Each structure stands twice: as structure tokens, then as C-alpha cells.
Amino acid sequence: MAATGRARPRARLVGVGAYVPDRVLTNADLEKMVDTSDEWIVSRTGIRERHIAADDQATTDLAAAAVRDLLQRTGTDPGDIDLLIVATTTPDYVFPPCAPLVATMTGMDCPAAFDTNAVCSGFMYGIAQATGMVESGIARRAVVVGAETLSRIIDWDDRATCVLFADGAGAVLIEADEGQPGTGVIGVELGSDGAGRSDLCVPAGGSRAPITGDTPHTDTCIHMNGREVFRFATRILVESSQRLLGEAGMTIDDVDLLVAHQANERILHHASERMGIAPDKVAMNLDRVGNTSSASIPLALADALDSGQLQEGAMVLMVGFGAGLTWGSVLVRWEPRS
Ligand code: UT7
């Protein structure tokens, strides 16, 4: 008897949406708040300005705005979404998670909805989860959001961190498709190293150090060993990309666009030079949005689409890295819904 196996669905990435709050904080504004300079911030990071949420905006407000933009751009009915994943490290509450709230805010019809937290790699982990669930048949149409209000966990007196982090949200739509191999999400590479946990962390507010009346405010904010994280980031960006490309039987020459976590322009320059990818194939918007953790990759993807840098059929390599330490890469062919 002949085998009649049904082709396994493939996860196809068909659209992107984005949102940043209206309020812009420039380097000149920061010069008035801490002992820093536009010259230092631009030369060491590449950041010129960033967006900060209004007092009455929480992470779900930013996430919902990005999802609405995605649904509008792709002409998608919110009732057709059956899976929503929100990657965030700054949720509205300890619980409930953001995703069910965002689903209701955007008119979805009771989809599977949960949060995922791998900090700046969170969006890559979210895409991996959505891909697995779509390809196994659990979901057919998934939205993955990266959303952050990092301004709420920044120590605004710490010049080493307050010039870097910011707020924003981005989202992608992933659909089941009967496409051929070489289409859709082509591969994923994820990893972690908890030995680096203290290099980038918020010390208090979890079960190990609950916040009490004696907790210093600074312990509820981002602490970072910048030099150590810089070394890790430049190394892992290259290694994770090379592992993923190797598994896919490709080289960097097959990549049309690198969309890496927008942490620091120097990290992107060092890594892309070592990988041998031309600067015009590297997405870069951190000068305008700063480091938005899990929102950073979808925001850069949306920016590349709007500027014409991202073209239909492009082979896109996305790479996230950050606290944990964690990292993740996703290789995908950009096939927008026409
Ligand atoms: O999203 C998660 C991933 N995060 C990252 O990838 C961040 C990785 N790290 C970095 O991007 C860089 O390490 C930073 C941008 C955070 C710092 O740049 P750096 O070139 O590594 O600076 P540094 O920490 O070695 O500090 C150099 C000097 C120090 O002064 P001294 O000790 O040399 O006198 C700092 O106190 O720069 C000083 N400094 C500043 N000066 C003016 C630190 N922050 C500032 C500032 N303005 N904002």
C-alpha cells in the first residue's frame, strides 16, 4: 500500500506591525538628567533618541497598538487568530499575563494566549514556540509580540544604563502554509548560559528577593556589566548565526538581511564584519529607538520593510541575545501576504 502522508504544514511569516510611544527622549534631554553627553552616547552606542511610554501606558497598551498595526497592514480579522504569544520582561502584572489582555483589547476570539520571557531573546523564543505550534497543527494563525516598558525598571540616575533602554512593541503574523521546503521559517537556534545571570539582571522583585520596605530602589532596576555583556553579544551573534546557517546548509552570502537585537551599533558593526555581511544588509534603527529588549527585532524588521530594505522573497536572519544569558536565531524567508 502506498504511503499517503499529508505534507506537514510550514510556518510562514506573513506580516509585521510596530508601535512606539509618542514621547521622544533625546540625548540632549539625558544631558540634563545625568553626567553624560550626546557625543559619548552616539560614539559608544549609536543611539540618538528613544521613545518612552506615557504615565498611563502599560506594556499591554503598547503591545495592543503593535497588534492593531499588524492586523491592519495584513488585512487580518482578529477573530482568525488562534494563538497569541507576548514576549516581555516588563509585564503589566506578575499575573495575569499580558497575552490574554492584549487578545481582548484587540478583539480576538479567545485564542490560546500566554507570555514568554527570555528578555532580549524573548521574541526569538516566541517565534520558535509559534513555529512549533503551527507546524504541529496546534495553531493555524499565530501572532507573536515583543513589547516592553523598560522605562519602568530603569534607574534614571545611572548613566551607564539609562541612556540605553527604551519602550516599544512589534508584532509578526505566522500562518500555517503548505509551502515547499526553503520557504517560511527555515530554522531556529536557541541557547542559554545561566552562569552569566548576574551580568544583566534586576536583583529584586522576584521570589529570591521580594520587594520590602528596606529594598533600595536601585535593586528594582536594571543592573548591567556592560563590558561583559558586550563581549558575550559580539561572540554569540556570530556563533549562533553560523550554527543556524550551517544547519540550514547556507552561508552568510545567502542572507539578504540581518535583523539583530538593537543593543549597540558597535556590537552590530563588529559582528557583521566578522561574519562578512555588507553593512547595507544589516538592519539598524537603534539611533531612533534605543534598546527595546524583546521589541527590538520586530521594530527593526518593520523599519526595514518601511524603508524598502526588506524586499519580498528576502532571506532574513534574526538574532537576539541578552539576559539569562540567552540567545536565539531564526532564519526565515520573507513572504508577506499579498
Ligand atoms: O540588551 C541586552 C544586551 N545589552 C548589551 O548588549 C549592552 C552591551 N554593552 C554595551 O553596549 C557597552 O558596554 C556600553 C554602551 C553599556 C558601555 O560602553 P563601554 O564602551 O563598554 O563603556 P564602559 O562601561 O567601559 O565605560 C567607559 C567609561 C567609564 O568611565 P571610566 O571608568 O573610564 O572613567 C564609564 O563610567 O564611560 C563611562 N560612562 C559614561 N560616560 C558618559 C558610562 N556610561 C556613560 C555615559 N556617559 N552614559
Side-chain angles (χ1 to χ4, degrees):
M1 194 169 68
T4 54
R6 190 172 61 89
R8 198 177 124 202
R10 297 191 67 82
R12 180 173 152 198
L13 202 156
V14 297
V16 61
Y19 172 78
V20 287
D22 292 339
R23 185 180 162 208
V24 174
L25 186 71
T26 65
N27 290 352
D29 296 327
L30 284 160
E31 283 177 351
K32 295 178 199 134
M33 296 162 61
V34 286
D35 179 16
T36 191
S37 65
D38 176 59
E39 192 281 328
W40 191 96
I41 302 170
V42 172
S43 64
R44 298 293 181 115
T45 73
I47 301 168
R48 293 178 185 276
E49 59 185 34
R50 69 288 286 147
H51 294 256
I52 303 295
D55 291 347
D56 62 353
Q57 279 182 313
T59 295
T60 55
D61 298 309
L62 277 52
V67 171
R68 285 187 201 104
D69 184 49
L70 170 73
L71 297 175
Q72 197 255 323
R73 287 191 199 217
T74 54
T76 306
D77 181 337
D80 289 342
I81 304 300
D82 57 5
L83 171 64
L84 174 65
I85 300 173
V86 175
T88 186
T89 189
T90 47
D92 291 20
Y93 310 104
V94 171
F95 66 82
C98 292
L101 313 186
V102 174
T104 298
M105 291 160 84
T106 55
M108 294 181 193
D109 183 18
C110 303
F114 63 95
D115 290 3
T116 196
N117 180 3
V119 201
C120 304
S121 318
F123 191 72
M124 296 295 89
Y125 276 76
I127 290 198
Q129 289 169 315
T131 298
M133 291 175 77
V134 164
E135 296 197 343
S136 62
I138 294 172
R140 282 202 63 78
R141 192 162 285 130
V143 169
V144 182
V145 189
E148 302 287 4
T149 46
L150 296 172
S151 60
R152 304 281 151 78
I153 56 165
I154 289 171
D155 174 0
W156 289 103
D157 293 326
D158 176 16
R159 68 176 183 173
T161 51
C162 76
V163 302
L164 305 174
F165 298 102
D167 303 336
V172 294
L173 180 59
I174 294 178
E175 292 182 343
D177 183 77
E178 308 306 324
Q180 299 303 307
T183 62
V185 178
I186 287 158
V188 174
E189 202 271 338
L190 305 171
S192 72
D193 178 8
R197 63 188 172 276
S198 55
D199 288 337
L200 187 48
C201 64
V202 175
S207 61
R208 187 162 299 282
I211 295 172
T212 68
D214 296 331
T215 306
H217 170 65
T218 52
D219 280 7
T220 65
C221 298
I222 300 171
H223 286 228
M224 183 169 74
N225 179 346
R227 285 183 199 181
E228 219 30 71
V229 178
F230 190 99
R231 265 193 287 275
F232 157 72
T234 37
R235 175 176 64 77
I236 209 67
L237 209 167
V238 176
E239 287 179 6
S240 179
S241 301
Q242 288 176 342
R243 271 197 293 270
L244 178 54
L245 288 168
E247 278 165 21
M250 294 187 196
T251 71
I252 197 68
D253 295 336
D254 297 307
V255 174
D256 299 304
L257 186 65
L258 172 67
V259 188
H261 172 42
Q262 304 286 300
N264 186 319
E265 192 180 66
R266 287 187 297 139
I267 292 175
L268 298 181
H269 282 159
H270 280 308
S272 49
E273 233 170 68
R274 276 181 58 197
M275 288 159 74
I277 185 165
D280 65 343
K281 290 183 171 182
V282 181
M284 196 92 79
N285 70 342
L286 85 170
D287 55 324
R288 284 159 284 136
V289 299
N291 180 341
T292 58
S293 190
S294 65
S296 127
I297 291 174
L299 278 177
L301 191 69
D303 196 68
L305 179 66
D306 293 342
S307 70
Q309 193 184 21
L310 174 59
Q311 295 285 328
E312 183 163 358
M315 185 62 71
V316 181
L317 174 60
M318 298 183 270
V319 190
F321 48 83
L325 302 165
T326 58
W327 62 89
S329 299
V330 172
L331 192 59
V332 62
R333 194 175 287 285
W334 173 248
E335 298 164 302
R337 200 187 299 142
S338 53

